[in-house]
Structure formats: structure tokens, C-alpha cells
Amino acid sequence: MRLDRELTCAQLVELVTDYLEQRLPIHDTERFEEHVAFCDGCSTYFDQMRATIAATGRLREGDLPSELQERLVEAFRGWSPA
């Protein structure tokens, strides 16, 4: 039986930015952390998001050729975790 407390993978994806920016209420923070702890797909997604943020925080405008930037945007358009 599914509890109201549990997040779906789609809900987690929607909350990841707020979680990383520490804007979630404690109840939602707990639900987020619980889901990530038990869902391998979302755990991988979350790790990738943190790595992406860490890497892009070091990039300056112009570091990526525009063609590569366009390819990356297209690759992630419509992406969702397993």
C-alpha cells in the first residue's frame, strides 16, 4: 500500500531544485531524502544534478562552443529518470 508520505519519481524531479536550494519545508525535505535513499534511479539522478551544478558553477560564458551547448540542451529536453 502506498502512503501519502511517499514521493513519486516525477514529484522528486519537480522538487530537486527547491531541495538543493534548501527551500523545502521539513516534511517535504524528509520525504525527498527518504525517496532518494531507497530509489536507485532517483539517487543517480540526484547525484548527476549535484555534479552538473558543481561543474557548471565553474564554467564561464563562452567556455562551451554554441554547437555543444545546443546539443546538450537538446539531449536533456524531455529527459526524466527511470
Side-chain angles (χ1 to χ4, degrees):
M1 181 171 91
R2 192 170 183 80
L3 302 174
D4 289 339
R5 175 172 169 79
E6 294 180 10
L7 289 178
T8 65
C9 296
Q11 289 170 322
L12 183 128
V13 169
E14 293 294 321
L15 295 174
V16 73
T17 300
D18 288 337
Y19 176 83
L20 289 169
E21 294 177 358
Q22 299 178 341
R23 294 188 310 203
L24 289 179
I26 189 68
H27 175 73
D28 289 335
T29 297
E30 291 169 353
R31 293 168 65 212
F32 185 97
E33 291 171 350
E34 183 177 297
H35 185 99
V36 168
F38 293 102
C39 180
D40 290 339
C42 286
S43 178
T44 299
Y45 169 75
F46 183 56
D47 289 344
Q48 290 171 342
M49 288 298 293
R50 287 190 297 193
T52 299
I53 290 167
T56 59
R58 293 188 300 264
L59 294 176
R60 295 177 309 265
E61 190 170 333
D63 282 352
L64 291 179
S66 60
E67 182 180 305
L68 176 57
Q69 183 177 348
E70 290 172 22
R71 286 180 40 214
L72 288 170
V73 168
E74 188 59 36
F76 286 100
R77 193 178 316 265
W79 182 87
S80 64

